[in-house]
Amino acid sequence: MTGMTGMTGLALRSLRHRLTASVATFLAVLFGTVLIGAFATLAETAFAIDGVTAEQEADQETLTIMGIVVGSWGTVIVLFAVASTVGITAARRAGEIGLLRTIGATPRQARRLICREALAVAVCGALIGAVLAAGVGWLLLDLLRGELVASSVEFRGGPASVGAAAALVTLTSAVAAAIAARRATRGPASLTLRESEAETGRMRWYRVAVALLLIGYGVGLGAVTIFVMADSDDPYAAMQTSGSSSILVGVGFAMLAPALLRWVSAPAARLLARVGGRGAGYLAAYNTSRRAHRLASVLAPVIVLTSGAIGTLMLVSIDSRTLAGTGDYEETVNLLNNVVVGMVSLFAAIMVVNAFAAGTADRRAELRRLWLLGGTPAQIRRSLAVEAGIVAAVGLVVGTLGSLATIVPFSIARDEGVVPDAQLWIPAVIAVAVVLLVLTAARVAARATIRVAVQEVR
């Protein structure tokens, strides 16, 4: 383990034995690059327009807003999701790193191993994502042609935009892996082993600070919407300030996911115990509190998905009522809002499935011990289902709260009051969809992992 080549070879061989976690990281980077790169191509296309005539200037402004302003909402979500996935995947190897250090590996060698594994997966995902991003960007521009921009606008997205997106996501992955690696190698090897077994950890002060900053900024945009933009002559001024508020607040709450799980795990488990049984409810509550940092990787995308989807779809609903009959432009804006929330929601949904698959596979040894202690596969599955129910319940409550940062200010600005006048069924439909997604992902992941764990014992 003393050389650049030896450490790189060990990192690549290690990936084969951690296939589920590697695939989860790969998909996060892949779809993250696609989402960021697609909107970046619109910005590159905007910069390529000459802007000589009034029509060209309008096209340039529209594409700039779509590529930079709207794309930045998705960028915040993507970078947070990628950093969380990479960081948690690396942190889960604390026990393995502790063992490597006990047999002679230095902290520096252990950090190199984690960083090179993460970088190898991230580079592969980013390169493929960059290629796909160009095609998705072309489709977005095609959707805009003839509606918000002239039909003659040519797609100019190329290596600069998709390459920048790939580099940004790869850099985020590398930084997240480096931070997690440093935390995993801090202190003596014996302490690392004990901490990995205890599975405890406190949130860093800077994570809390960033979370509060995002929540405060989102709430501040809501205040600007009510007290400033509501009186603007531009009917879309209020949408520009309130549209991203639910996403910002949702990401802020997602960063506090470990603390939220610890606070609500016990009362939530008591409510869900009737569904899974007393033993399953107790075990789920214990695991949710003990494994809060790891289950936070599942809760975070649930919060972002709920907050962003409810907030944006309710914004579109209010806009369609209060500006009804204003023409094709209003219909196109709502269509684009739906496209954006669809892409972001799809990415968040993939992260939920990813997190459950990687997290449950990582618990194979724990589930095997439960089976050896007398638990049946059905009982273990019920316990995992109750855990998923806790995550879904917390995610829905916190995500719905975050969506109010968009709904309430925009509804007030459009003279509908604190509570919108109609289509209040939208949050309920999204809630049902999120619950089904979480429970289905948990059930599939649990069934596959338990089957493998039991077969290993037999």
Side-chain angles (χ1 to χ4, degrees):
M1 289 170 36
T2 60
M4 185 88 58
T5 304
M7 187 59 65
T8 302
L10 178 61
L12 295 177
R13 288 193 299 271
S14 177
L15 292 176
R16 297 201 303 267
H17 299 285
R18 306 182 61 84
L19 188 59
T20 304
S22 300
V23 170
T25 302
F26 173 80
L27 292 177
V29 173
L30 171 67
F31 288 105
T33 305
V34 171
L35 188 59
I36 295 178
F39 285 102
T41 59
L42 297 182
E44 186 178 6
T45 301
F47 296 147
I49 297 177
D50 295 332
V52 177
T53 65
E55 183 182 33
Q56 288 176 328
E57 291 181 354
D59 291 343
Q60 189 176 50
E61 180 181 3
T62 299
L63 291 176
T64 301
I65 292 175
M66 283 295 302
I68 297 178
V69 179
V70 179
S72 64
W73 305 352
T75 301
V76 170
I77 295 176
V78 167
L79 295 183
F80 168 74
V82 170
S84 297
T85 302
V86 174
I88 292 174
T89 300
R92 283 174 177 155
R93 304 192 56 190
E96 178 185 341
I97 296 304
L99 289 174
L100 285 174
R101 291 179 61 193
T102 60
I103 61 174
T106 66
R108 184 177 182 182
Q109 288 174 324
R111 287 195 293 269
R112 283 180 178 176
L113 176 65
I114 293 177
C115 292
R116 288 177 188 176
E117 285 183 8
L119 192 61
V121 175
V123 169
C124 292
L127 289 177
I128 298 175
V131 175
L132 297 177
V136 175
W138 182 89
L139 291 175
L140 284 176
L141 180 61
D142 190 60
L143 181 65
L144 296 172
R145 287 194 186 107
E147 299 291 345
L148 290 183
V149 299
S151 302
S152 59
V153 175
E154 297 181 2
F155 180 73
R156 298 293 182 86
S161 54
V162 296
L168 178 61
V169 176
T170 302
L171 178 62
T172 301
S173 303
V175 171
I179 294 174
R182 183 169 293 277
R183 292 184 62 182
T185 56
R186 187 179 53 232
S190 57
L191 177 62
T192 301
L193 284 170
R194 287 197 300 272
E195 287 182 345
S196 68
E197 290 294 327
E199 299 188 73
T200 57
R202 292 182 299 178
M203 290 193 302
R204 299 294 172 182
W205 66 267
Y206 51 80
R207 177 169 178 164
V208 177
V210 173
L212 295 178
L213 178 64
L214 290 173
I215 294 172
Y217 187 54
V219 173
L221 286 177
V224 171
T225 301
I226 295 174
F227 298 109
V228 179
M229 297 302 181
D231 299 325
S232 175
D233 295 331
D234 184 359
Y236 292 101
M239 182 181 292
Q240 294 173 7
T241 52
S242 63
S244 60
S245 296
S246 61
I247 294 178
L248 292 171
V249 175
V251 172
F253 280 139
M255 296 187 71
L256 300 175
L260 295 173
L261 276 177
R262 287 200 180 96
W263 293 338
V264 304
S265 59
R270 284 195 293 268
L271 293 175
L272 294 170
R274 295 182 179 179
V275 178
R278 283 197 165 189
Y282 171 80
L283 184 60
Y286 174 74
N287 282 332
T288 303
S289 177
R290 183 175 66 93
R291 302 174 60 87
H293 267 75
R294 298 195 178 187
L295 284 176
S297 63
V298 183
L299 176 60
V302 173
I303 293 175
V304 174
L305 172 61
T306 305
S307 181
I310 293 179
T312 306
L313 291 179
M314 287 299 295
L315 178 141
V316 172
S317 171
I318 296 169
D319 183 66
S320 62
R321 288 194 303 273
T322 54
L323 289 182
T326 56
D328 294 336
Y329 183 83
E330 185 265 338
E331 294 180 2
T332 304
V333 169
N334 287 338
L335 174 62
L336 291 174
N337 280 327
N338 289 328
V339 170
V340 171
V341 74
M343 294 178 64
V344 172
S345 298
L346 177 61
F347 178 79
I350 292 172
M351 291 301 99
V352 171
V353 176
N354 249 2
F356 265 117
T360 308
D362 190 59
R363 299 175 63 181
R364 186 182 303 164
E366 174 192 344
L367 301 180
R368 184 168 58 246
R369 288 194 294 267
L370 286 175
W371 185 77
L372 290 172
L373 289 171
T376 66
Q379 289 173 328
I380 298 174
R381 282 196 298 268
R382 282 199 298 270
S383 173
L384 294 177
V386 176
E387 285 184 27
I390 295 173
V391 170
V394 175
L396 286 176
V397 172
V398 177
T400 302
L401 181 63
S403 70
L404 297 179
T406 287
I407 298 172
V408 173
F410 192 68
S411 181
I412 293 175
R414 290 293 178 86
D415 298 323
E416 286 200 356
V418 175
V419 180
D421 291 342
Q423 294 184 315
L424 298 179
W425 50 265
I426 291 178
V429 171
I430 294 175
V432 171
V434 170
V435 169
L436 289 176
L437 173 67
V438 171
L439 295 182
T440 302
R443 181 179 179 84
V444 173
R447 184 178 295 276
T449 303
I450 292 172
R451 183 175 62 251
V452 174
V454 172
Q455 288 175 350
E456 288 176 348
V457 175
R458 291 175 176 170

